[in-house]
Amino acid sequence: VSALGGRRLIFVTGKGGVGKSAVTAALARCAAADGRKVLVVEMAAHGAMEPLLGVKGPMGHEPREVAPGLWACNLDPERSVGDAVAGLVPTPRLARALLGNPVARLFLRTAPAVSETAVHLCLVAWLNAGYSPVIVDLPATGHAVGFLDASRAMAHALRVGRVAKAVSEAADVVRDPKQTGLVVVTLPEELPVNEAIDLYGRAQTQLGIVPAVVVVNRVTAPPVPEADLPKLEPLLGTSLEDLAPDARAVVGAVRAGVKAHALDGRQVARLREALPDARLLSLPTLHGQADEAALVVRLAERLRDLLGGQRAVPT
Ligand SMILES: Nc1ncnc2c1ncn2[C@@H]1O[C@H](COP(=O)(O)OP(=O)(O)OP(=O)(O)O)[C@@H](O)[C@H]1O
Ligand SMILES: [Mg+2]
């Protein structure tokens, strides 16, 4: 996907419920259509990705091919910690002892930096296994920046040794703006826009990563083509009472559409003003889709049009 500039590790983030998972799935479909070996990573106990990708049954921790060129999994952080310990401590016996010790296990499971670092190691292992891009649907914790910084902080704390070296190698990938891209998703609404602006700024100042794109999802399409909106003006000025009863409902609906479109446009303008250098992509609210997978296929088509890509999106 050209907007991602060939980056191979993509994190999709934004406020809860804005459409992160739908956008992740749509980006993945675009990238798979470009002939890449795409891996979608969800990190949620109760995943929402299966219906979006049209997958039957729950996904597990191990990647599975769900469409040509498209793999998906639900990353289990606890499993990543186990794999990281097994891969990093010198002997299997020590690993078993560590993972068998309830106190150690509790620490490994609950210390956020440990778990997040293990997730980074896991993602980098998947990159090394040949998946590219790996597209991660981040949970809506509002801690995206802290999450992305975890392995660097951990490497810094560990300083020397085998584990420090492995962690610092993972941090080098996750914190490398040439390899890692951030996609910020928002709705054209006050609070999600504020959060997107804040996140965009902090990604730059705290991580040195300029988000690749800001996706404004669920923008109300105008009731008539944008260019024809001025033609509606006379209609919008007339009082509804002056109209025949049949016409009132229609004109009322058109007015509501014009108003919603204008309000959304104001939020998009606010984003543009706050983030003049950002690449904004607007996606419309798509009504009447047969199911979530169909929605994603349509969103992927939209993205491809916006990005000027040529390839077809597989259905
Ligand atoms: N452009 C769109 N048009 C119509 N429906 C959409 C659109 N984008 C998302 N949706 C729907 O909105 C709902 C929420 O989307 P999604 O699950 O992707 O949000 P999310 O940000 O991942 O939420 P969460 O924070 O809970 O993970 C879903 O039912 C999805 O199908
Ligand atoms: Mg989600």
Side-chain angles (χ1 to χ4, degrees):
V1 181
S2 59
L4 303 177
R7 293 181 184 87
R8 50 190 200 128
L9 180 57
I10 310 296
F11 292 96
V12 180
T13 174
K15 197 168 161 50
V18 297
K20 294 180 297 299
S21 299
V23 168
T24 300
L27 279 173
R29 284 221 175 265
C30 285
D34 288 346
R36 316 215 12 211
K37 186 176 175 185
V38 184
L39 175 60
V40 171
V41 179
E42 184 171 37
M43 299 195 312
H46 305 285
M49 200 50 83
E50 289 88 352
L52 291 166
L53 293 176
V55 180
K56 301 223 176 1
M59 293 185 312
H61 177 81
E62 290 301 335
R64 116 178 188 219
E65 191 168 13
V66 299
L70 182 56
W71 279 256
C73 66
N74 192 340
L75 189 155
D76 174 0
E78 211 173 315
R79 174 83 185 269
S80 308
V81 171
D83 288 352
V85 170
L88 292 173
V89 300
T91 69
R93 208 172 129 243
L94 189 56
R96 273 199 304 277
L98 200 58
L99 291 168
N101 179 310
V103 177
R105 237 187 16 229
L106 186 69
F107 168 74
L108 291 172
R109 195 167 66 217
T110 52
V114 171
S115 160
E116 289 169 354
T117 299
V119 168
H120 292 192
L121 288 166
C122 184
L123 295 174
V124 170
W126 280 329
L127 285 172
N128 291 339
Y131 295 106
S132 177
V134 171
I135 308 182
V136 187
D137 180 13
L138 284 181
T141 56
H143 298 313
V145 171
F147 168 80
L148 293 178
D149 197 35
S151 54
R152 189 205 54 82
M154 183 66 84
H156 190 73
L158 292 169
R159 278 163 216 255
V160 289
R162 248 163 67 81
V163 178
K165 185 160 173 287
V167 170
S168 128
E169 279 165 11
D172 286 347
V173 174
V174 174
R175 289 288 306 271
D176 178 2
K178 286 202 191 67
Q179 300 189 64
T180 294
L182 210 57
V183 172
V184 178
V185 185
T186 182
L187 298 176
E189 290 171 12
E190 187 81 18
L191 293 181
V193 163
N194 291 349
E195 207 162 298
I197 293 169
D198 176 62
L199 190 63
Y200 194 99
R202 284 190 300 120
Q204 252 170 304
T205 54
Q206 294 176 29
L207 300 171
I209 291 178
V210 180
V213 284
V214 177
V215 176
V216 192
N217 188 31
R218 311 200 72 148
V219 176
T220 308
V224 296
E226 197 102 28
D228 294 336
L229 278 174
K231 293 186 197 154
L232 291 180
E233 302 254 335
L235 198 62
L236 302 178
T238 48
S239 148
L240 284 184
E241 283 75 59
D242 296 342
L243 297 168
D246 287 355
R248 279 182 205 159
V250 177
V251 172
V254 170
R255 270 187 199 176
V258 170
K259 196 167 158 204
H261 171 67
L263 283 176
D264 287 1
R266 221 170 291 162
Q267 294 298 337
V268 174
R270 208 157 67 80
L271 261 176
R272 207 162 262 143
E273 204 169 296
L275 309 174
D277 299 326
R279 174 155 199 193
L280 300 189
L281 299 177
S282 291
L283 290 175
T285 300
L286 296 174
H287 299 285
Q289 303 303 310
D291 53 27
E292 301 269 285
L295 170 74
V296 166
V297 169
R298 291 279 311 279
L299 289 176
E301 285 167 359
R302 286 295 184 132
L303 278 175
R304 195 165 39 88
D305 290 347
L306 290 169
L307 300 172
Q310 301 300 313
R311 309 263 188 105
V313 174
T315 50

